[in-house]
Amino acid sequence: MYRIATLLLALLLSLPAFAEAPEEGDEAVIKPTYYSLVPALVGNYGTGERLKYYKADISLKVMGPEAEAKVEHHEPLIRNQLIMLFSQQTDDTLATVEAKEALRQEALKQVRQVLEQEEGQPLVEDLLFNNLILQ
């Protein structure tokens, strides 16, 4: 009984050795990673007598750990660019789903421009609003 259990354990431990390893000619598959800007962006927007606030939880879709490290390195500049963009918004530019999508597209464009300027390539595939609260 002990021999069978030992044999089974040895077989289970050797399974990773049988896994298909990529050959030298094959390119490694790069999986997307989502880099969250933590803490969330919080600030005020609009003009008028009453202050209006936003809170935006944002994730950036990047391809691979190298791009993620570069995005993390430039996070302060990215955050500054996004805060400036949000502070310029009005009720009209945040009122509808279409307006929020236009804001998301503009935010993505500006983040990509910053990274293009700093790194020579955009690095960010997409920008997602995980949560966008307006008050």
Side-chain angles (χ1 to χ4, degrees):
M1 183 70 172
Y2 179 71
R3 289 182 194 166
I4 294 173
T6 306
L7 179 62
L8 287 175
L9 182 61
L11 286 173
L12 287 174
L13 292 176
S14 65
L15 282 178
F18 294 114
E20 186 176 318
E23 296 181 19
E24 289 182 26
D26 294 343
E27 289 187 31
V29 176
I30 299 175
K31 295 182 181 179
T33 305
Y34 293 91
Y35 181 80
S36 295
L37 299 178
V38 177
L41 300 177
V42 178
N44 55 358
Y45 70 96
T47 58
E49 295 177 15
R50 184 170 173 245
L51 286 177
K52 297 175 181 146
Y53 299 95
Y54 69 87
K55 177 183 176 193
D57 290 311
I58 297 175
S59 290
L60 305 173
K61 180 181 175 185
V62 296
M63 298 303 280
E66 184 179 314
E68 183 179 11
K70 290 178 181 179
V71 167
E72 182 179 5
H73 176 74
H74 294 293
E75 183 179 346
L77 186 57
I78 292 168
R79 292 177 75 83
N80 180 67
Q81 193 70 25
L82 291 173
I83 288 169
M84 296 303 290
L85 175 64
F86 273 90
S87 68
Q88 296 169 358
Q89 301 308 305
T90 64
D91 286 334
D92 293 336
T93 60
L94 296 172
T96 65
V97 173
E98 293 81 14
K100 290 175 185 170
E101 176 60 21
L103 174 63
R104 187 189 72 79
Q105 291 292 334
E106 181 61 27
L108 174 61
K109 178 182 164 190
Q110 290 193 18
V111 167
R112 294 180 99 196
Q113 284 176 347
V114 164
L115 290 169
E116 182 81 40
Q117 186 178 17
E118 295 296 317
E119 290 291 332
Q121 51 188 344
L123 299 174
V124 174
E125 300 291 319
D126 204 0
L127 181 142
L128 306 170
F129 290 151
N130 295 332
N131 197 5
L132 180 59
I133 300 171
L134 305 172
Q135 184 177 5

